[in-house]
């Protein structure tokens, strides 16, 4: 392993390991795109075409659900439109009827369990205030915010559109964020739902995700299928403190889809272990303090950060402290004085705050200098004001003098003209005849 440390206050880069090697027990999968994500740290533990564009099909609905709970309320009542029920005949449906009214909460169960495309459209219309395009715009904004920057969504259900795409990594990030919401985690992990007023006619609504029954620790996820996308599946599983998110896209057979997901998760739990990258209170250099009783403070990590580590290996991550050149006193306990950027290659995994090792009071001399500085500032302003006042007075006096001079000149010219005019009149009178 190569280890290199480059020191410096604001741009220190600590290389902890080289790129993650392929392990001997790497899973054998059949999907066109595969990715395994550490749900705690955000590390990519395994991937095949994990950064390549793919169609998400109904796994889109995890993002739809996330946007719905961010912009709507669970008790919001949504009236079902004709467009919501006017879907392709082979489209998955919860058998909504035009004109009926349903709570957003129930529509979310239909969305994530039975993959109802009618629920997806109704949610987009209702939460979007009658403007499903606005809802789709929120979907894309949310995707970019959580780091899913190589995706584009054109609808809330995932029915095929050439401009509607994602990548396995982006889909894993979306699932990780959506299932971090307690409401969505509860819904996605529900195996069957008795919809008030509808189960009497249609029976219970079952979760399409068989991983809930087939794999110990499965928390939730989403299935999907279109002819163009193939079978898609995203699953979040938790064992102890370890949280994994698996994605398989472009499967041909349902059997291999679930087998691939199980192999992927087994690989994550079997070949990796969780270890602290750093603990809360770990020092990362010193930040100078100006005007304080102490010249500086140690910069301490403000929280623990856990990562997945290959058994017998090292994590393929880097820590980049971002420390200011100095901070001004007083410095209080708990005040953020920088940050630690945890990266996997060029990808930012997390930003952890840096806290001071101690509080630092301002020096008494600093107070004196502060008030002296203020006094000098006001004196300077007063002196400047006096100079401006004197300049204005002088300018006014000069203007008055010029004005009086012009008046005297005009008066003299007027008297001269009158004398000349009288002489001319007298001459003309003498010579009139």
């Amino acid at each position: 392993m190569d280890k290199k440390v480059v020191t410096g206050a604001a741009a220190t880069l600590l290389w902890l390991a080289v790129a993650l090697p392929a392990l001997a027990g790497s899973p054998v999968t059949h999907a066109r795109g595969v990715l395994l994500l550490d749900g705690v740290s955000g590390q990519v533990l395994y991937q095949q075409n994990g950064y390549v564009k793919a169609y998400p099909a109904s796994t889109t609905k995890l993002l739809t659900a996330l946007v719905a709970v961010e912009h709507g309320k669970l008790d919001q009542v949504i009236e079902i439109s004709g467009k919501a029920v006017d879907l392709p005949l082979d489209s998955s449906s919860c058998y909504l009827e035009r004109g009926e009214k349903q709570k957003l909460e129930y529509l979310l169960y239909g969305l994530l369990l039975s993959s109802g495309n009618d629920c997806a459209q109704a949610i987009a219309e209702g939460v979007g205030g009658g403007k499903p395009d606005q809802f789709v715009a929120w979907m894309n904004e949310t995707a970019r915010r959580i780091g899913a920057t190589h995706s584009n969504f054109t609808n809330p259900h995932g029915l095929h559109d050439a401009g509607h795409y994602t990548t396995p990594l982006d889909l894993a990030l979306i699932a990780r964020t959506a299932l971090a919401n307690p409401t969505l985690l509860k819904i996605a992990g529900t195996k069957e739902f008795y919809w008030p007023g509808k189960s009497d006619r249609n029976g219970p609504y079952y979760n399409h995700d068989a991983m809930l029954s087939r794999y110990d620790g499965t928390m939730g996820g989403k299935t999907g299928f279109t002819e163009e996308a193939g079978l898609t599946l995203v699953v979040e599983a938790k064992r102890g403190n370890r949280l994994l998110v698996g994605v398989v896209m472009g499967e041909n057979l349902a059997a291999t889809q679930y087998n691939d997901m199980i192999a992927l998760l087994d690989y994550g739990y079997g070949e990796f272990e969780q270890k602290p990258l750093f603990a809360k209170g770990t020092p990362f250099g010193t930040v100078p303090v100006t005007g304080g009783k102490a010249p500086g403070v140690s910069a301490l990590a403000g929280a623990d950060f856990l990562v997945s580590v290959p058994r017998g290996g090292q994590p393929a991550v880097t820590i980049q402290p971002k420390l200011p050149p100095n901070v001004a006193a007083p410095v209080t306990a708990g005040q953020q004085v920088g940050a630690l950027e945890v990266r996997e290659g060029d990808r930012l995994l997390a930003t952890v705050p840096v806290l001071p090792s101690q509080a630092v009071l301002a020096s008494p001399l600093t107070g004196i200098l502060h008030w002296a500085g203020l006094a000098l500032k006001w004196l300077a302003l007063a002196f400047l004001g006096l100079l401006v006042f004197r300049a204005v007075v002088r300018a006014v006096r000069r203007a008055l003098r010029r004005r009086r001079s012009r008046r005297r000149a005009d008066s003299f010219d007027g008297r001269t003209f009158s004398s000349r005019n009288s002489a001319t009149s007298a001459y003309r009178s003498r010579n009139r005849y």
Side-chain angles (χ1 to χ4, degrees):
M1 180 186 70
D2 294 331
K3 183 181 288 186
K4 182 171 63 175
V5 178
V6 181
T7 60
T12 302
L13 182 61
L14 175 61
W15 293 95
L16 294 183
V18 295
L20 184 68
L23 303 182
S26 297
V28 176
T29 57
H30 307 82
R32 292 194 292 271
V34 175
L35 187 132
L36 180 65
L37 190 79
D38 182 317
V40 175
S41 68
Q43 294 166 271
V44 174
L45 306 183
Y46 180 79
Q47 63 88 19
Q48 290 180 352
N49 297 323
Y51 314 112
V52 177
K53 183 174 81 172
Y55 298 122
S58 283
T59 55
T60 297
K61 289 165 183 159
L62 283 171
L63 179 58
T64 301
L66 177 60
V67 172
V69 296
E70 287 183 343
H71 291 270
K73 296 182 178 180
L74 293 178
D75 60 356
Q76 177 183 350
V77 176
I78 295 174
E79 182 172 347
I80 310 305
S81 72
K83 185 176 181 181
V85 299
D86 185 20
L87 296 167
L89 293 177
D90 59 348
S91 175
S92 57
S93 174
C94 286
Y95 310 108
L96 299 177
E97 297 177 0
R98 181 176 183 175
E100 71 172 295
K101 297 179 180 180
Q102 294 290 347
K103 288 184 178 180
L104 173 59
E105 180 183 7
Y106 299 160
L107 292 172
L108 287 171
Y109 274 97
L111 178 81
L112 295 181
L113 272 65
S114 297
S115 199
N117 291 328
D118 47 357
C119 294
Q121 185 64 33
I123 288 170
E125 292 175 358
V127 176
K131 299 178 180 178
D133 289 346
Q134 175 62 69
F135 188 91
V136 172
W138 289 336
M139 291 174 66
N140 286 295
E141 290 172 6
T142 300
R144 289 191 292 271
R145 171 171 56 84
I146 64 179
T149 56
H150 294 86
S151 300
N152 187 67
F153 299 93
T154 62
N155 62 64
H157 38 65
L159 290 173
H160 182 69
D161 182 303
H164 186 100
Y165 57 85
T166 187
T167 67
L169 174 59
D170 282 8
L171 183 54
L173 295 173
I174 290 167
R176 177 194 185 199
T177 306
L179 297 177
N181 181 285
T183 297
L184 298 184
L185 181 61
K186 175 186 174 183
I187 294 174
T190 299
K191 293 182 179 180
E192 60 182 68
F193 174 63
Y194 289 85
W195 193 323
K198 293 186 69 64
S199 293
D200 294 342
R201 300 192 306 271
N202 302 324
Y205 291 77
Y206 294 103
N207 199 319
H208 289 180
D209 184 6
M211 289 291 290
L212 288 168
S213 300
R214 294 185 58 177
Y215 195 80
D216 181 36
T218 297
M219 304 286 287
K222 189 70 189 73
T223 61
F225 173 77
T226 64
E227 292 291 342
E228 296 83 0
L231 290 160
T232 63
L233 176 64
V234 56
V235 169
E236 181 177 86
K238 185 175 184 181
R239 291 183 179 177
N241 292 325
R242 299 204 58 208
L243 187 68
L244 298 179
V245 180
V247 175
V248 294
M249 305 185 75
E251 292 274 7
N252 294 320
L253 300 173
T256 59
Q257 175 189 36
Y258 287 106
N259 289 338
D260 284 356
M261 181 60 73
I262 291 171
L264 195 61
L265 294 173
D266 281 347
Y267 169 77
Y269 287 119
E271 300 293 340
F272 294 84
E273 56 186 340
Q274 190 178 62
K275 290 185 178 181
L277 181 64
F278 52 78
K280 181 178 180 180
T282 301
F284 283 90
T286 301
V287 178
V289 177
T290 59
K293 288 187 174 181
V297 291
S298 293
L300 309 180
D304 299 335
F305 194 83
L306 301 174
V307 293
S308 284
V309 181
R311 296 189 185 278
Q314 293 289 332
V317 294
T318 60
I319 307 171
Q320 187 173 0
K322 296 289 186 178
L323 305 179
N326 58 71
V327 293
V331 178
T332 60
Q335 175 183 337
Q336 183 170 343
V337 293
L340 302 174
E341 291 185 354
V342 183
R343 293 182 175 273
E344 182 179 58
D346 293 333
R347 193 166 68 90
L348 179 65
L349 298 182
T351 301
V352 179
V354 167
L355 308 179
S357 57
Q358 62 183 14
V360 178
L361 297 176
S363 169
L365 179 61
T366 302
I368 295 172
L369 292 175
H370 172 73
W371 289 110
L374 285 177
L376 288 174
K377 177 181 177 181
W378 284 110
L379 285 173
L381 288 174
F383 181 70
L384 180 62
L386 179 61
L387 291 178
V388 171
F389 177 75
R390 290 185 62 186
V392 170
V393 169
R394 289 177 178 177
V396 171
R397 287 177 175 174
R398 285 196 297 270
L400 290 174
R401 285 197 295 268
R402 286 196 296 269
R403 188 174 180 181
R404 285 195 294 269
S405 297
R406 284 197 299 270
R407 285 179 178 176
R408 285 196 296 269
D410 291 344
S411 176
F412 175 78
D413 289 345
R415 289 195 299 272
T416 302
F417 176 78
S418 297
S419 300
R420 289 177 178 175
N421 189 53
S422 298
T424 302
S425 298
Y427 173 80
R428 288 178 178 173
S429 298
R430 289 194 300 269
N431 295 282
R432 182 176 300 174
Y433 301 106

